[in-house]
Amino acid sequence: MFFTIDPDNGLAIYDQILRQVKFAVASGALQPGQRVPSLQELATTLALNPNTVARAYRELQSEGILEMVRGIGLEISSKAVKRCQQDRDALIRERLRSVLLEARQSQLDDAELREMFDAEMTASKPKSGRK
Amino acid sequence: MFFTIDPDNGLAIYDQILRQVKFAVASGALQPGQRVPSLQELATTLALNPNTVARAYRELQSEGILEMVRGIGLEISSKAVKRCQQDRDALIRERLRSVLLEARQSQLDDAELREMFDAEMTASKPKSGRK
Amino acid sequence: MFFTIDPDNGLAIYDQILRQVKFAVASGALQPGQRVPSLQELATTLALNPNTVARAYRELQSEGILEMVRGIGLEISSKAVKRCQQDRDALIRERLRSVLLEARQSQLDDAELREMFDAEMTASKPKSGRK
Amino acid sequence: MFFTIDPDNGLAIYDQILRQVKFAVASGALQPGQRVPSLQELATTLALNPNTVARAYRELQSEGILEMVRGIGLEISSKAVKRCQQDRDALIRERLRSVLLEARQSQLDDAELREMFDAEMTASKPKSGRK
DNA sequence: GTGGTCTAGACCACC
DNA sequence: GTGGTCTAGACCACG
């Protein structure tokens, strides 16, 4: 899998996994019916303790995103896509709102804020075509 | 004071105080030489544990934003303004970058992201203008 | 065979097979001397891992319910009936006791409990009687 | 607290705690706003590892039964009572249904089943008045 | 091989 | 003091 974990993120590791699984489903990188890497596999790949991964997977199960198939492993549920797309939007919107709220309270003016946004947008733009 | 604390913010309470003091200085709401509410006063006003307020003030002192004046209390230092304005920009930019990074990793496209940004910008716009 | 397997039953699949064989013998649906479906047959019919069926059959052999007949397969032993009837009562009584115990500890009163019991009794009543 | 844990219950320990908290709330033994024993307290009382208790509490939080108060601990939420009463009924009914279903499939007749039920009801009756 | 559970113990943030 | 998180490692049930 293609998860990137940053231990100093502020977010708990299990939460980063949780979010990234949701985001992968929302973007179609993970499809319903597809198996998710096993606990041990993901744990060793990311150099994490299996328990940490287990917690993320457990919560995804309780949200109905993942389904357990006895003796096989965990797979993406059919109803996961819609759910994950909603979640992705909500999760990002929530963080965005929180930042903007703080910016507003600090009297940062619109122009400056937009400027920051644009700067960070281009800065974070993935590598691509000619300039 | 006019701080608004949200315990479910993700940010620690002491950190919210810390940031809001800085932001108030940056915006001119708090001026150098001006006194800051006493520990007990702020703690009771915001219904917080005095230790929490103490921790925020302590860090502000160690950063040179607040200065202790014997027999008076804590007040905004003269060199605080420039410092706070820089901090404000950096703190907000940092959060913004973090959100955008996650959005990018989740394959959320630019258009949708911009749309979210605009929506939240207008949504968070303080009451004003013609009714 | 006429087994019904529910993977989300709480009971292990092999245990469900085990119990249903015993219950079938107890009720006379399976008679001593009668052959039991082969490992592969049952496994494919129920879409189970052969190991799962094997485990159930193995335990039934070790309890003397099933006997291996060379060149033929597994069949119900002669002494199975009495044994299975006893087991059936004990197994059901045990589960019933466990439920009632928990209900008692949760302060659910007798009347309500009886009501539940009656409701579930009629609800689970097999189709029959005058229409 | 007055929880009784049976490690050989079939149910996971964290699940026993989970259910018993719900049942205590449903029966009024735990009231909304009341604090629940701290992780360490309950863990030492029941001779369990704090993590085990933590898992039960965490799930109760995610179900909205418990609410975290920063630096104070966990307490019963206001909406918990209704929720827990429903849950209690559902949980017990579910187990009851499962037992009766199996009994039915095993051709155990009504009379015998009722007899068992009555026997276990009186057997599990708590100690009380004169005989 | 899969996940589930539990233990033991560490460190941290917060109040 | 509170809970949160993570690690390390063991054992079990299941398929």
Side-chain angles (χ1 to χ4, degrees):
Chain A
M1 297 318 287
F2 323 106
F3 298 146
T4 63
I5 298 300
D6 173 9
D8 307 324
N9 201 4
L11 286 172
I13 294 178
Y14 79 85
D15 204 18
Q16 297 183 45
I17 299 175
L18 187 78
R19 295 171 83 105
Q20 294 193 31
V21 169
K22 284 186 180 179
F23 291 171
V25 174
S27 73
L30 284 175
Q31 305 268 349
Q34 195 174 344
R35 273 197 55 216
V36 113
S38 83
L39 277 182
Q40 312 182 48
E41 190 184 340
L42 191 54
T44 55
T45 303
L46 301 179
L48 299 175
N49 186 295
N51 282 333
T52 306
V53 183
R55 176 159 177 196
Y57 279 4
R58 195 190 315 134
E59 302 211 358
L60 285 165
Q61 272 185 87
S62 78
E63 293 188 36
I65 311 289
L66 292 184
E67 280 171 355
M68 172 72 183
V69 184
R70 292 254 226 178
I72 302 297
L74 295 159
E75 56 182 45
I76 312 293
S77 80
S78 53
K79 64 174 196 179
V81 178
K82 212 184 79 183
R83 178 69 185 280
C84 284
Q85 286 173 342
Q86 294 172 343
D87 282 6
R88 178 181 59 173
D89 273 38
L91 289 169
I92 291 178
R93 188 167 244 119
E94 186 186 345
R95 289 186 67 187
L96 200 51
R97 175 182 304 125
S98 176
V99 178
L100 295 190
L101 183 65
E102 191 182 44
R104 274 284 159 52
Q105 287 177 341
S106 73
Q107 307 282 1
L108 198 62
D109 67 65
D110 274 35
E112 201 169 346
L113 198 47
R114 279 189 182 279
E115 193 180 312
M116 274 191 197
F117 178 79
D118 290 332
E120 294 303 330
M121 279 294 275
T122 62
S124 70
K125 184 151 294 180
K127 84 285 181 193
S128 71
R130 58 178 163 201
K131 173 61 168 316
Chain B
M1 297 311 290
F2 321 108
F3 297 147
T4 62
I5 299 299
D6 174 9
D8 306 324
N9 203 6
L11 275 73
I13 293 179
Y14 81 85
D15 204 19
Q16 295 184 45
I17 299 176
L18 188 77
R19 295 169 84 103
Q20 293 194 31
V21 169
K22 285 186 180 179
F23 291 172
V25 174
S27 72
L30 283 175
Q31 306 269 347
Q34 196 174 343
R35 270 196 58 217
V36 115
S38 80
L39 241 166
Q40 315 183 51
E41 192 184 338
L42 189 54
T44 56
T45 304
L46 300 179
L48 297 176
N49 187 314
N51 285 333
T52 308
V53 182
R55 175 160 179 191
Y57 279 5
R58 192 182 338 122
E59 301 209 2
L60 285 165
Q61 278 183 80
S62 78
E63 292 188 36
I65 312 290
L66 292 184
E67 282 172 353
M68 182 68 181
V69 182
R70 308 253 306 180
I72 301 295
L74 291 162
E75 57 182 43
I76 311 295
S77 78
S78 53
K79 64 173 192 177
V81 178
K82 208 183 81 184
R83 177 68 185 280
C84 285
Q85 286 173 341
Q86 294 171 341
D87 283 5
R88 177 180 62 173
D89 272 37
L91 290 170
I92 291 178
R93 187 167 245 118
E94 184 186 348
R95 289 186 68 188
L96 200 51
R97 174 181 307 124
S98 173
V99 178
L100 296 190
L101 183 65
E102 191 181 42
R104 274 280 157 58
Q105 289 179 339
S106 75
Q107 307 281 3
L108 197 62
D109 66 66
D110 276 34
E112 203 169 343
L113 197 48
R114 277 218 134 72
E115 195 179 309
M116 272 190 198
F117 178 79
D118 290 332
E120 294 302 330
M121 280 294 276
T122 62
S124 70
K125 185 150 293 178
K127 82 286 179 191
S128 76
R130 61 202 151 172
K131 179 57 165 313
Chain C
M1 297 310 292
F2 322 108
F3 298 148
T4 62
I5 298 299
D6 175 9
D8 307 323
N9 202 4
L11 275 72
I13 294 178
Y14 81 86
D15 205 18
Q16 295 183 45
I17 300 175
L18 188 78
R19 295 169 84 104
Q20 292 193 31
V21 169
K22 285 186 179 178
F23 291 173
V25 174
S27 71
L30 284 175
Q31 305 269 346
Q34 195 173 345
R35 269 197 58 216
V36 115
S38 80
L39 240 167
Q40 314 183 53
E41 191 185 338
L42 190 54
T44 56
T45 305
L46 300 179
L48 297 176
N49 186 315
N51 285 334
T52 309
V53 182
R55 174 159 180 192
Y57 279 6
R58 194 185 334 126
E59 299 208 3
L60 285 165
Q61 277 183 81
S62 77
E63 292 188 37
I65 312 289
L66 292 184
E67 280 171 355
M68 183 65 181
V69 182
R70 306 253 306 181
I72 303 295
L74 291 161
E75 55 182 43
I76 312 294
S77 78
S78 53
K79 63 174 196 179
V81 179
K82 210 183 81 183
R83 178 67 185 282
C84 285
Q85 287 173 340
Q86 293 171 343
D87 281 7
R88 178 179 61 174
D89 272 38
L91 289 170
I92 292 178
R93 187 169 245 119
E94 185 187 347
R95 290 186 67 188
L96 200 50
R97 174 182 305 124
S98 173
V99 178
L100 296 190
L101 183 64
E102 191 182 42
R104 275 279 157 58
Q105 287 178 341
S106 74
Q107 306 282 2
L108 197 62
D109 66 64
D110 276 36
E112 202 169 344
L113 198 47
R114 278 215 133 72
E115 195 179 309
M116 272 190 198
F117 178 80
D118 290 333
E120 293 303 329
M121 280 296 275
T122 63
S124 69
K125 184 150 294 182
K127 82 289 179 194
S128 77
R130 64 206 149 172
K131 177 61 165 311
Chain D
M1 297 317 289
F2 322 107
F3 298 145
T4 63
I5 298 300
D6 174 10
D8 307 323
N9 202 6
L11 286 172
I13 294 179
Y14 80 84
D15 204 19
Q16 297 183 45
I17 299 176
L18 187 78
R19 294 171 83 105
Q20 293 192 32
V21 169
K22 284 187 180 178
F23 291 171
V25 174
S27 72
L30 283 176
Q31 306 268 349
Q34 195 174 343
R35 273 198 53 217
V36 111
S38 83
L39 277 182
Q40 313 182 47
E41 190 184 340
L42 190 55
T44 55
T45 304
L46 300 179
L48 299 174
N49 185 293
N51 282 334
T52 305
V53 183
R55 174 159 177 196
Y57 279 6
R58 194 187 319 133
E59 301 210 359
L60 286 165
Q61 271 185 87
S62 78
E63 293 188 36
I65 310 289
L66 292 184
E67 279 170 356
M68 172 72 183
V69 184
R70 291 254 225 177
I72 304 297
L74 295 158
E75 55 183 45
I76 311 293
S77 79
S78 52
K79 64 173 195 180
V81 178
K82 211 183 80 183
R83 179 69 187 280
C84 286
Q85 286 172 341
Q86 295 171 341
D87 282 6
R88 178 180 60 173
D89 273 38
L91 289 169
I92 292 179
R93 188 168 245 119
E94 185 186 345
R95 291 187 66 187
L96 200 51
R97 174 182 306 125
S98 176
V99 178
L100 295 191
L101 182 66
E102 192 182 42
R104 274 284 158 55
Q105 288 178 340
S106 74
Q107 307 282 2
L108 197 62
D109 67 66
D110 275 36
E112 202 169 344
L113 198 46
R114 280 191 181 278
E115 194 180 312
M116 275 190 196
F117 178 80
D118 290 332
E120 293 303 330
M121 280 294 275
T122 62
S124 69
K125 185 150 293 180
K127 85 286 181 190
S128 71
R130 58 184 161 197
K131 175 63 166 314

